[in-house]
Amino acid sequence: MKDCVEIIADGQLIAVDRNITLLQALRDNGVNIPSLCFYPSLGGYGSCGLCVVEVYSSGNWLLRHSCLLYPEEGMQVRTATLLVQKQRAQAARLLLRRGPFHKKEVEEMLIALVQEGADVGDLLQKCDSAGAAGEGRAVPLIAGCILCGLCVRICRKVGKGLLTFLGRGENLRIGMVLGQKDDPCGNCRACRRICPTGFITPNARCTFTASLY
Amino acid sequence: MSTYLKELIEKLPENERLLINILNCVQEERGFIPQPLLTELAERTGVPESQLHSLVSFFNSFRTKSAGKHRICVCYGTACYARGAPLIYDRLADELELDDGDDTSPDGLVTVEKVYCVGACNQAPLIVEDGQIKGKIKSYQVPFLIKELRKKDQDGRNE
């Protein structure tokens, strides 16, 4: 049985299931919210930062990751305000630094988000967005992977749990731990299918060469 | 190896048998964490081996390569850094002929590590040599320090 609550999204009253994430609920109701690290059966993770929305809470509008929130009775949400656009543009800018991406549509989507944020923002931000994609910072350790963690999570859920994050901070990378067994990774290719940027080609073993030993 | 791990776990009080404590003990006793041990620990505890690798890689204090006989930690905390920790580190790397990215001298005598603040900032810049703090180090003292270590090592072997 569905456990329904009513929320107000962009001024419209909608009834949603309280057991699915706010992001999923909004999407089901036709609200377009970008995200890269969300996958319905794996739940939210909050690493890409694109799905931010504004939620009304005790007198203030707060920016929250909609993939980590669950609908509550009477919740008020705004999905396309200036602040949201700016925040998404900022998140997109950070993600673009990890490029270039194999899937061109991801790159285009991120650039569109940056431009959307820049249109309403000031001139300073425009300069910033131009520089972000090009020079400025050192090339990331693994260009094309946004470290969203989807492959790690899907491998733990449906695969054999071989993928994992290694290190932290600047050195954060994804590694494959094969252990001592022969050919432990089978061929489910779940990680390849779920990767939002198309980084995993042709398979995880060739892509994730980082290891501790 | 298998009895080693069993004994090690049994040595710990029951409420302290956490993965991180076990790994700490191994690191302390062996100077690094060998891969077969992680495989065994994974089998014994039911935690996927990949997650153990993730845990080990998260903490700088866990090593995955064998360490040298002696251990010198150069403090890179703010105070030590400002007072010339990089000079000391560079001198150490030079004297010990460390390759890029390598932290143990080719003869296996010394392992040099960077650590972040050991809490004795009034003695900056400092190094920790085998657990002993040596403060107010000047980079020109480094060759003498190493000479002393070599001598100690030689004496130990002759006895």
Side-chain angles (χ1 to χ4, degrees):
Chain A
M1 217 197 75
K2 249 185 165 184
D3 214 357
C4 270
V5 289
E6 283 185 329
I7 64 169
I8 302 167
D10 293 328
Q12 281 186 327
L13 194 68
I14 50 175
V16 295
D17 186 354
R18 74 155 83 218
N19 299 314
I20 56 173
T21 60
L22 184 62
L23 174 62
Q24 189 63 44
L26 289 170
R27 279 187 177 169
D28 289 348
N29 282 281
V31 184
N32 182 28
I33 296 174
S35 88
L36 288 177
C37 71
F38 179 76
Y39 190 78
S41 67
L42 291 173
Y45 195 62
S47 70
C48 75
L50 294 177
C51 68
V52 286
V53 293
E54 274 188 297
V55 176
Y56 192 75
S57 160
S58 55
N60 293 306
W61 287 97
L62 302 175
L63 280 171
R64 302 286 299 271
H65 287 93
S66 61
C67 69
L68 296 174
L69 276 185
Y70 289 87
E72 283 163 28
E73 188 66 52
M75 193 183 232
Q76 293 182 58
V77 186
R78 294 197 297 205
T79 64
T81 59
L82 205 94
L83 195 62
V84 167
Q85 280 177 343
K86 269 192 177 180
Q87 188 64 35
R88 281 184 192 155
Q90 180 62 25
R93 232 173 270 145
L94 290 173
L95 289 171
L96 276 171
R97 287 187 175 175
R98 304 204 64 91
F101 302 117
H102 191 78
K103 283 189 188 165
K104 283 287 158 277
E105 64 266 31
V106 172
E107 199 137 346
E108 281 158 18
M109 188 262 274
L110 290 174
I111 290 171
L113 280 174
V114 171
Q115 284 165 348
E116 224 169 81
D119 280 342
V120 291
D122 47 10
L123 236 152
L124 264 173
Q125 282 208 320
K126 265 184 196 162
C127 302
D128 194 9
S129 68
E135 34 71 64
R137 259 175 64 111
V139 187
L141 220 57
I142 24 179
C145 170
I146 56 166
L147 297 169
C148 65
L150 274 175
C151 53
V152 174
R153 288 186 287 147
I154 197 83
C155 192
R156 259 176 214 171
K157 185 158 183 188
V158 307
K160 302 188 177 174
L162 300 176
L163 292 176
T164 186
F165 281 113
L166 293 176
R168 62 179 150 136
E170 274 186 330
N171 286 319
L172 189 65
R173 61 221 188 267
I174 287 167
M176 192 171 195
V177 179
L178 292 168
Q180 249 91 19
K181 287 169 235 134
D182 294 333
D183 192 30
C185 173
N187 46 7
C188 76
R189 305 255 169 90
C191 53
R192 185 178 161 182
R193 246 173 282 142
I194 206 169
C195 181
T197 64
F199 181 63
I200 303 174
T201 51
N203 58 36
R205 193 189 288 208
C206 298
T207 309
F208 301 122
T209 50
S211 77
L212 279 185
Y213 294 94
Chain B
M1 181 68 80
S2 100
T3 48
Y4 170 74
L5 193 63
K6 202 175 161 211
E7 277 168 19
L8 196 124
I9 293 173
E10 276 163 9
K11 244 189 275 171
L12 287 167
E14 207 149 310
N15 58 351
E16 281 178 28
R17 286 178 191 166
L18 306 170
L19 281 175
I20 205 87
N21 288 344
I22 296 167
L23 290 173
N24 256 330
C25 288
V26 175
Q27 166 74 37
E28 207 158 287
E29 277 182 19
R30 303 211 145 189
F32 78 113
I33 293 171
Q35 186 176 17
L37 194 131
L38 284 183
T39 311
E40 208 200 314
L41 196 60
E43 272 168 27
R44 203 176 271 270
T45 58
V47 178
E49 196 177 343
S50 61
Q51 282 187 37
L52 292 180
H53 280 239
S54 180
L55 183 70
V56 167
S57 71
F58 187 85
F59 295 103
N60 288 330
S61 53
F62 291 141
R63 292 176 53 82
T64 53
K65 280 183 284 185
S66 59
K69 242 181 192 169
H70 299 278
R71 187 167 160 226
I72 296 180
C73 304
V74 181
C75 181
Y76 259 65
T78 312
C80 290
Y81 186 87
R83 303 214 56 175
L87 291 177
I88 296 170
Y89 182 85
D90 289 349
R91 191 65 188 259
L92 271 168
D94 224 38
E95 291 289 329
L96 293 167
E97 293 163 19
L98 300 184
D99 289 332
D100 271 345
D102 215 9
D103 58 358
T104 306
S105 57
D107 56 357
L109 182 74
V110 186
T111 295
V112 185
E113 281 170 5
K114 293 178 185 173
V115 294
Y116 293 94
C117 199
V118 295
C121 305
N122 62 335
Q123 297 183 53
L126 64 88
I127 62 165
V128 184
E129 190 189 292
D130 292 329
Q132 213 175 356
I133 290 177
K134 296 197 167 170
K136 305 212 161 141
I137 298 283
K138 306 271 192 290
S139 63
Y140 62 74
Q141 291 173 305
V142 166
F144 299 109
L145 281 169
I146 291 168
K147 214 185 237 174
E148 237 171 79
L149 274 180
R150 285 229 164 89
K151 211 178 144 214
K152 241 192 265 173
D153 196 49
Q154 207 83 69
D155 291 349
R157 234 180 275 169
N158 290 342
E159 265 167 26

